[in-house]
Amino acid sequence: MKIIAIGRNYTEHAKELHNPVPEKPVIFLKPDTAVLKENRDFYYPDFSKNIHHEVEIVLRVCKEGKHIGAKFASSYYDAIGLGVDFTARDIQQAHKEKSLPWELAKAFDGSAPVSELLPKETFEDVYDIAFRLDKNGETVQEGNTKDLLFSFEDILVFVSQYITLRKGDLIFTGTPAGVGPVVPGDYLEGFIGDQRMFHFYVK
């Protein structure tokens, strides 16, 4: 499986990093070795001094898709969860300044903690999902899928024009404003509504 992640999919997040609001989805990839499951702790890598949290709604692709049509796109994911796109902001910034890819800042081992996934039917409206990230008991990020720049269907249609989606792939759909640093000892908890989806320590 692979992780397809969407950058700058909430206007306020794009603005907080002084990035332009995109006209098309901005995508990058993470390998399966980035995934952390079952509330395993995140180990701070020694190659960065500025790791940031980015909490995101995550979709699970349920069947193979290539050049997906818009009217069929909603049938290509069957579950929704919550994840963190850990980002080495210092490396990302250095690479952006040189117009280099982001992968070293985004795709490192353990950079994608993911919760258990809930059936899509669990949600009354997938475009009114409130979610948040708490750090050491205080809320640091809050978002709602009603504020997405590009809908889940938009993402599936766009990505599948270039990359074949396969069953089990995960799509990180973008982070809201409020990204910030973590340090060893921090305790992170992610919520969809009032339901705690994950919790783990930064080591």
Side-chain angles (χ1 to χ4, degrees), residues 58-91:
V58 178
L59 311 181
R60 182 179 67 195
V61 176
C62 60
K63 58 184 176 181
E64 185 165 313
K66 188 173 184 178
H67 299 290
I68 296 170
K71 66 180 180 179
F72 303 113
S74 63
S75 69
Y76 279 82
Y77 73 97
D78 66 350
I80 296 173
L82 198 65
V84 177
D85 167 23
F86 277 122
T87 302
R89 194 70 74 203
D90 46 357
I91 295 175

Side-chain angles (χ1 to χ4, degrees), residues 5-46:
I6 309 302
R8 307 173 189 170
N9 204 17
Y10 289 84
T11 300
E12 293 306 313
H13 170 60
K15 289 180 178 178
E16 74 178 341
L17 295 184
H18 307 292
N19 291 316
V21 175
E23 296 180 0
K24 294 180 180 180
V26 175
I27 76 165
F28 57 92
L29 301 179
K30 290 178 180 260
D32 58 359
T33 48
V35 174
L36 273 183
K37 293 183 177 180
E38 300 173 349
N39 298 310
R40 292 192 178 96
D41 293 331
F42 170 75
Y43 284 83
Y44 204 106
D46 59 9

Side-chain angles (χ1 to χ4, degrees), residues 56-125:
E56 311 198 8
I57 291 292
V58 178
L59 311 181
R60 182 179 67 195
V61 176
C62 60
K63 58 184 176 181
E64 185 165 313
K66 188 173 184 178
H67 299 290
I68 296 170
K71 66 180 180 179
F72 303 113
S74 63
S75 69
Y76 279 82
Y77 73 97
D78 66 350
I80 296 173
L82 198 65
V84 177
D85 167 23
F86 277 122
T87 302
R89 194 70 74 203
D90 46 357
I91 295 175
Q92 185 188 36
Q93 187 59 39
H95 283 214
K96 284 169 66 176
E97 289 171 359
K98 298 177 181 178
S99 299
L100 295 173
W102 298 354
E103 268 67 20
L104 290 182
K106 291 280 195 178
F108 55 89
D109 290 353
S111 62
V114 180
S115 72
E116 289 190 14
L117 301 170
L118 304 175
K120 181 170 61 175
E121 294 74 25
T122 304
F123 301 91
E124 184 175 342
D125 182 355

